[in-house]
Amino acid sequence: TMEYLKEFMVIYTIFMMGAVSPGPDFIMIVRNSTGFGSKIGFKTALGISIGCLITLSYILVGVGAVFNQFPILKEIVKYVGALYLFYLGFKSLTYRNENE
C-alpha cells in the first residue's frame, strides 16, 4: 500500500503545481472578482477548485482506461462538456447586472 501512496503523492504534486500556476483560471477569477465583486470571485474560485478535484478524482480512479475501452463514451463526454461550455459562454455574454 505504501507503493500506491508514493505514486498518488507524485500525481497529486504534479496536479497541484499545475493548479496553482497562473493561467486562464486565474484570469477568470480576477475578472469576476473585479467586475462583479468578491462574492462572485469566491464562487468562481470554488467552482474551479471543485472542477479540479473532480478531474483529479476520475483520473485516479482510472476513467482513462474506461475511455480506452469504450471510445464512444469519451466522445459523448467531450460533446456534453463542449455544449456546457457554450451554454456558460452564452450566459456570460447575455448576463445583465441588475445593479447597474
Side-chain angles (χ1 to χ4, degrees):
T1 59
M2 290 302 280
E3 174 183 317
Y4 295 115
L5 181 62
K6 181 179 176 183
E7 290 176 5
F8 173 78
M9 291 307 295
V10 169
I11 293 171
Y12 178 79
T13 302
I14 292 169
F15 187 83
M16 289 310 295
M17 288 174 59
V20 299
S21 63
D25 297 342
F26 176 76
I27 293 170
M28 178 182 274
I29 293 168
V30 170
R31 180 186 66 103
N32 286 352
S33 296
T34 57
F36 305 111
S38 61
K39 187 174 181 179
I40 299 296
F42 177 77
K43 287 180 180 181
T44 304
L46 183 63
I48 290 171
S49 299
I50 291 171
C52 289
L53 180 64
I54 290 169
T55 302
L56 178 62
S57 298
Y58 74 68
I59 287 171
L60 290 175
V61 176
V63 172
V66 173
F67 284 163
N68 284 337
Q69 289 288 74
F70 305 101
I72 188 70
L73 183 61
K74 180 179 179 181
E75 293 298 314
I76 291 170
V77 170
K78 182 169 63 171
Y79 286 115
V80 168
L83 287 173
Y84 182 65
L85 289 175
F86 280 122
Y87 167 76
L88 289 178
F90 177 76
K91 294 290 281 184
S92 176
L93 291 173
T94 59
Y95 175 78
R96 296 188 64 180
N97 190 352
E98 308 299 329
N99 298 327
E100 291 182 358

